[in-house]
Amino acid sequence: MPGVTEQEIAQAKQMNLYQYMQLCEQDNFKPEGPGQFRHKGHSSLTFAADGSWTYFKTKATGRTALNYLIAVEGVSFVEAVREINWIQGGVRPSFQPVKAPPPPAEKKPAKEFRLPKPDKNNYAATAYLRKRCIHPNVLTVCKQKKILYQTSFKDHPNCVFVGRDGNGEPKGGSLRGCSQIQFRRDIPGSKKIYPFYIEAAATADTVEVYEAPILKMQRLAAAC
């Protein structure tokens, strides 16, 4: 794989972790004191508003988003440089004068919900979720219930988390990229009142609510 230039490396190092989180993972961290934050997916990762971070699990420290992608997410150096520079290239601050909003457009008919076509295997999705510390038993249950599988767009694999109604019929779903490219979106036509969920035992008397499928799965994995 071709390398990257010194100029590209220098440009990538300009983005610190706090800036990266604000752009790419807004829903994946929470405040933990004045100017301090904790990563939701990597609970032992904390960082500050100045970008400095510490990953207590491996005792790794740094300030740049580049170091974070390499030391915490396991992205190769070349891919990390290219990803950050791609993100920086996509950020275009606007200084256009404020204009009056256009008249509301006619409401478009709701898109028909269709689950994306599954891949022939779930290798990438399984590897990604195991890296996020999801227990194999949890993955097995989700696959058996057909609420988790893998699909690909333009050769980029994604996890599919399926939301169902009370009869078990798919009514919505969300995608999460399995590769180094950050990708999150809802499947067009999804009805958010039907979220991804894992049934509890018949004798359970408590409902646990999470803001993302992976967090739900991590909580269940911790109980395995």
Side-chain angles (χ1 to χ4, degrees):
M1 177 183 291
V4 288
T5 66
E6 292 295 330
Q7 182 179 1
E8 290 174 320
I9 296 171
Q11 180 180 341
K13 288 182 177 179
Q14 293 177 11
M15 176 178 284
N16 65 39
L17 181 57
Y18 179 73
Q19 294 167 331
Y20 177 86
M21 288 293 174
Q22 289 285 346
L23 289 171
C24 301
E25 299 192 36
Q26 294 179 3
D27 61 345
N28 211 16
F29 66 92
K30 59 184 178 181
E32 199 175 68
Q36 297 292 323
F37 307 91
R38 183 174 294 275
H39 197 282
K40 293 180 180 178
H42 303 291
S43 58
S44 62
L45 172 67
T46 61
F47 60 96
D50 65 0
S52 59
W53 58 267
T54 301
Y55 189 38
F56 292 98
K57 182 176 181 180
T58 62
K59 298 182 180 180
T61 60
R63 181 179 298 274
T64 66
L66 179 64
N67 288 341
Y68 158 76
L69 289 177
I70 296 171
V72 180
E73 297 292 352
V75 181
S76 70
F77 177 80
V78 171
E79 288 299 322
V81 169
R82 289 176 175 172
E83 179 176 341
I84 293 173
N85 286 343
W86 180 86
I87 294 169
Q88 290 177 326
V91 177
R92 292 287 186 269
S94 174
F95 299 99
Q96 298 296 326
V98 177
K99 298 180 180 179
E106 293 184 8
K107 190 174 182 180
K108 296 181 179 179
K111 291 185 177 180
E112 181 183 358
F113 171 72
R114 289 185 180 179
L115 287 172
K117 182 179 179 181
D119 290 347
K120 294 181 179 179
N121 60 67
N122 296 310
Y123 298 154
T126 300
Y128 170 75
L129 293 170
R130 288 292 295 121
K131 185 179 178 182
R132 297 295 298 268
C133 301
I134 306 300
H135 197 283
N137 292 352
V138 178
L139 299 180
T140 298
V141 169
C142 291
K143 291 173 184 176
Q144 288 175 343
K145 294 180 177 295
K146 298 182 180 181
I147 58 175
L148 168 66
Y149 65 94
Q150 177 181 314
T151 191
S152 294
F153 294 125
K154 298 181 179 179
D155 297 325
H156 294 297
N158 301 277
C159 301
V160 181
F161 300 97
V162 182
R164 301 162 293 160
D165 62 14
N167 297 319
E169 292 295 324
K171 296 293 184 180
S174 58
L175 306 176
R176 175 65 185 259
C178 304
S179 61
Q180 290 90 350
I181 297 177
Q182 296 287 338
F183 181 77
R184 300 184 185 90
R185 63 169 290 186
D186 291 330
I187 299 172
S190 293
K191 297 179 180 178
K192 291 197 173 185
I193 61 171
Y194 301 110
F196 170 85
Y197 67 91
I198 301 171
E199 295 97 336
T203 56
D205 60 0
T206 304
V207 176
E208 296 191 7
V209 181
Y210 299 87
E211 62 182 296
I214 293 177
L215 298 179
K216 186 190 300 287
M217 296 172 74
Q218 287 174 328
R219 175 64 181 86
L220 184 58
C224 290

